[in-house]
Amino acid sequence: MALWVRRWDGRTVGRRARMLALAASLVTAPLSAQDSSTVRVVLSGVNAELTRNILAVMQLAREASTGKLTHARIVHLHRHAKTDIQTALRPFGYYEPRIVESLQPGPAEWVAEYVIDPGPVVKVRSVSIEVNGPGKDSPGVQKAVAAFPLHRGDTLRDARYEAGKLAILTVASDSGYLDADFDTTAVLVDRDARAADILIRFDTGERFKFGPVAFEQNYLDEDLLRKKIPFKTGQWYGQHKLLELQTALSEDPYFARVEVLPQRKEAKDLEVPIRVLLEPRKLWTYELGVGYGTDTGPRGRSNGIWRRINSDGHYAEAALVLSPLEQSAALRYNVPGIGHPNGVLTFFGGFSRLSVKVNPLQALQPQHFIGRNYVGGARLFRHRLGWLETLSLGYQHASFEIGQDSGKANLLVGRLSWERTRADDRSFPRRGIHAEVDLQGAEKILLSTASFLQLRGSAKLIYGFAPKFRLLTRAEVGRLFARDFHRLPPTYRFFTGGDVSVRGFGYSSLSPRDSLGNIIGGAALVVGSAEVEYRLLGHWAVAIFSDAGNATERLSLSGLGYSVGVGIRFISPIGMLRLDFAQGLSKGHGPFRIHISMGPDL
């Protein structure tokens, strides 16, 4: 057995003598229950991680943070502080700390000081994990065992030990071994050898299957809901399938709350019934909003939804947008469960008017374009291989004036697009990507006055580095193929510049021009941006950025507009609010510009 011998130098003896004197004085002078003081706890000799845990465990520190304590209470808690410190150090592998403590009373504040030498750390000597039961050879369980975070020679850390156990139990239960549990879990610490032996015995129990699913609601046809179930009765149980069902139901407009609950106690023949609790949203809702953007000026909008037209789950939407540049109205009637369990067939119709007039102070020459569009058709949304796929066919009647071009167009436009977003946090992602691919076109012989094919792709990438930094990049490329470009309305031509494209330039001011200097749109588009953001305290952040891009007659990297700038960010519950100050650098740039925009990063 090891014998620990503690040697005290003169300074330490002095401190001990003062502590004995303090204790004697407290005994000879009884403390009044009314005497109270604040307490300052001072720790030294340990790093920030250990300090945080000691202060969280030490009862004296916790109570001192709430205000004044009676003197009797201070002395009582100080006597137990050493034990609290020892308890706080053990999860980090320190079982033999040396602690020198002192308590100094003062007229308004007492000081409790603890000089800590954590001592030698305990290392893992052996790890024995034994898995029994029908699932012992399950790939998931075996992978969790192999990934156990403590190995021979590692410092004994309780957090890693508990995380390793939880990972094994979680994988087993998620794979259908709902009765899985530990027979033995032990950490045997040999203080003499400063070593620990870890012993774990785990039994998976039997593997369960999915039983029948019961939906608790009475306002939608159950056949519609059953289309969303991603498993069949009798298939092996998997927690990820329940999460998939919950996500699919939560994305629908019908439900305010969705709970998918396995009923383990009601299982028969290893089949677990699934209970789904559904709480409906309000039948009618609408919202009104106002805002401002440097591209659009003041802007108002209204959206309404009728969530349950019938028991088949049909629902309708209406939208209205009003701004000096744009006025639009749209109606949509949605039929769910078409083409895919989460697919939606939408019949739509609407009107829009777009009027862009660029002030001479914002560009080299005045310019404008005006377009009026009436559209109706149908589109199908569905999920395919992790992407949101949209197929649509719409008929559009448009009248337009843009530069020296004017006319009317009737177009039967077919469209196919794919969209995908992945993010660790939708409100403020540290890792995320958004990608879109869009293909649309019309053919003159098919009820159209012009033929064209348009391809467009875009991507946004967010990468967090260091604790408070993010890199945000985006790119967009487009190409238009048309037999008669000048007969196409502006909605199918490319423009760029403004709040969400190339900052430092006016809204849609980067574009080819006619002989009078009016913008007329381009047949190709290239846009790129890079931004570094630093998050300040709370919901505020600052950014520096550089943008580049242009709409041109041919796809090319020459003739791009370049800009640089700085920005202020406010992270709100409904998206990022951005205030940007940008300056164009390329030939023909306009004056310094301020941009205001709002919306999600992805």
Side-chain angles (χ1 to χ4, degrees):
M1 177 179 294
L3 177 63
W4 293 96
V5 180
R6 300 184 179 180
R7 302 178 64 181
W8 305 93
D9 57 20
R11 182 182 177 188
T12 304
V13 171
R15 286 181 177 174
R16 289 172 59 83
R18 287 195 298 272
M19 290 178 62
L20 292 173
L22 172 64
S25 67
L26 293 175
V27 171
T28 58
L31 293 171
S32 168
Q34 303 302 319
D35 294 336
S36 61
S37 299
T38 59
V39 183
R40 179 161 55 94
V41 177
V42 179
L43 304 177
S44 60
V46 288
N47 61 31
E49 182 181 37
L50 297 178
T51 297
R52 285 193 297 269
N53 202 55
I54 291 171
L55 293 177
V57 172
M58 186 190 295
Q59 191 170 355
L60 174 59
R62 297 203 311 271
E63 293 192 18
S65 65
T66 64
K68 291 184 177 181
L69 302 176
T70 65
H71 295 168
R73 184 62 176 168
I74 295 171
V75 173
H76 172 75
L77 295 177
H78 174 67
R79 289 172 181 166
H80 293 83
K82 183 175 181 179
T83 301
D84 290 344
I85 293 172
Q86 292 170 339
T87 300
L89 292 175
R90 283 173 188 160
F92 299 89
Y94 298 101
Y95 280 74
E96 295 291 342
R98 290 184 280 276
I99 305 166
V100 179
E101 50 192 339
S102 67
L103 182 63
Q104 300 292 335
E109 180 184 67
W110 287 34
V111 179
E113 184 177 3
Y114 306 92
V115 180
I116 305 167
D117 176 4
V121 71
V122 173
K123 298 284 188 177
V124 176
R125 182 166 55 191
S126 65
V127 178
S128 175
I129 303 177
E130 179 184 328
V131 180
N132 299 305
K136 66 179 181 179
D137 296 323
S138 166
V141 173
Q142 290 298 318
K143 184 177 180 180
V145 170
F148 193 80
L150 287 175
H151 304 88
R152 177 181 174 86
D154 290 345
T155 297
L156 179 63
R157 300 288 293 262
D158 284 7
R160 293 183 181 179
Y161 169 72
E162 295 296 337
K165 291 197 305 177
L166 179 61
I168 295 172
L169 183 60
T170 300
V171 167
S173 59
D174 287 354
S175 300
Y177 300 97
L178 302 183
D179 293 338
D181 205 353
F182 294 96
D183 291 335
T184 302
T185 58
V187 178
L188 309 176
V189 178
D190 183 346
R191 296 193 181 187
D192 293 337
R194 298 166 186 166
D197 300 302
I198 296 174
L199 177 61
I200 296 174
R201 283 199 289 268
F202 182 73
D203 194 306
T204 66
E206 296 292 336
R207 189 177 186 184
F208 286 76
K209 300 177 180 180
F210 284 116
V213 178
F215 293 95
E216 297 191 6
Q217 59 86 41
N218 57 6
Y219 41 87
L220 287 177
D221 189 334
E222 193 163 297
D223 289 341
L224 173 66
L225 302 177
R226 292 197 172 277
K227 288 181 179 180
K228 299 181 180 295
I229 301 175
F231 54 83
K232 296 180 180 179
T233 299
Q235 288 184 341
W236 292 119
Y237 181 98
Q239 185 67 24
H240 66 286
K241 290 293 184 180
L242 297 184
L243 294 176
E244 187 178 334
L245 173 60
Q246 184 170 17
T247 299
L249 293 171
S250 298
E251 290 177 346
D252 284 340
Y254 317 113
F255 312 118
R257 182 171 66 95
V258 178
E259 291 189 41
V260 180
L261 307 172
Q263 306 297 296
R264 166 65 186 88
K265 293 183 179 180
E266 299 177 13
K268 294 181 179 180
D269 299 325
L270 298 179
E271 290 190 353
V272 181
I274 307 300
R275 181 185 178 197
V276 182
L277 303 180
L278 300 171
E279 179 180 313
R281 288 179 176 174
K282 293 181 180 180
L283 182 62
W284 285 89
T285 58
Y286 67 91
E287 59 181 20
L288 301 173
V290 295
Y292 179 85
T294 46
D295 284 346
T296 62
R299 184 183 184 92
R301 67 180 180 86
S302 175
N303 292 301
I305 182 170
W306 183 8
R307 288 195 171 91
R308 296 183 302 279
I309 295 176
N310 53 37
S311 61
D312 291 328
H314 295 194
Y315 61 98
E317 301 168 280
L320 178 67
V321 174
L322 297 174
S323 77
L325 270 65
E326 178 186 5
Q327 303 87 46
S328 66
L331 294 173
R332 294 182 290 272
Y333 187 91
N334 304 284
V335 181
I338 303 297
H340 187 275
N342 294 319
V344 177
L345 176 63
T346 299
F347 299 95
F348 61 87
F351 162 80
S352 67
R353 180 181 185 274
L354 183 65
S355 177
V356 177
K357 296 182 180 180
V358 181
N359 190 296
L361 296 177
Q362 298 175 342
L364 295 182
Q365 299 186 43
Q367 51 224 259
H368 73 278
F369 59 85
I370 298 173
R372 297 177 182 87
N373 295 284
Y374 300 86
V375 64
R379 60 174 169 256
L380 176 64
F381 296 94
R382 61 183 180 182
H383 292 276
R384 183 190 294 271
L385 301 176
W387 292 75
L388 175 61
E389 183 180 72
T390 304
L391 301 92
S392 71
L393 183 65
Y395 193 78
Q396 177 183 8
H397 171 73
S399 60
F400 62 92
E401 299 174 16
I402 178 167
Q404 300 180 73
D405 293 344
S406 64
K408 295 183 179 180
N410 297 312
L411 300 170
L412 181 64
V413 179
R415 182 184 178 192
L416 180 59
S417 67
W418 297 269
E419 180 179 350
R420 184 170 188 170
T421 301
R422 293 290 182 270
D424 55 1
D425 182 352
R426 289 298 182 96
S427 61
F428 187 78
R430 294 274 300 170
R431 296 283 193 280
I433 186 171
H434 175 83
E436 291 185 47
V437 179
D438 188 272
L439 169 66
Q440 61 179 337
E443 175 54 50
K444 194 171 182 178
I445 62 174
L446 298 176
L447 304 177
S448 299
T449 56
S451 299
F452 76 94
L453 176 65
Q454 186 190 74
L455 304 174
R456 190 169 191 161
S458 65
K460 297 180 181 179
L461 175 67
I462 296 177
Y463 178 77
F465 63 98
K468 295 185 177 182
F469 285 90
R470 294 195 308 167
L471 173 65
L472 298 89
T473 61
R474 56 183 169 86
E476 185 174 6
V477 179
R479 187 70 171 94
L480 174 67
F481 302 92
R483 295 174 185 172
D484 192 347
F485 176 86
H486 297 280
R487 298 189 65 182
L488 286 178
T491 49
Y492 298 106
R493 307 184 189 189
F494 290 117
F495 305 85
T496 192
D499 299 342
V500 295
S501 55
V502 184
R503 290 161 288 188
F505 294 86
Y507 176 59
S508 295
S509 63
L510 292 172
S511 160
R513 302 170 184 271
D514 61 18
S515 59
L516 298 179
N518 296 305
I519 58 172
I520 60 172
L525 176 71
V526 175
V527 174
S529 176
E531 180 172 318
V532 176
E533 182 184 275
Y534 176 74
R535 186 168 184 177
L536 302 173
L537 296 176
H539 296 277
W540 294 92
V542 293
I544 58 173
F545 59 84
S546 178
D547 297 343
N550 204 351
T552 56
E553 296 179 356
R554 296 178 180 83
L555 196 61
S556 173
L557 296 179
S558 62
L560 300 182
Y562 296 93
S563 67
V564 295
V566 297
I568 300 173
R569 308 285 181 261
F570 179 74
I571 306 164
S572 76
I574 57 175
M576 184 78 76
L577 177 62
R578 305 173 187 87
L579 175 62
D580 290 321
F581 306 88
Q583 175 65 59
L585 300 178
S586 55
K587 181 179 179 181
H589 66 76
F592 174 84
R593 293 183 60 86
I594 298 175
H595 298 272
I596 300 173
S597 62
M598 187 173 185
D601 288 320
L602 293 176

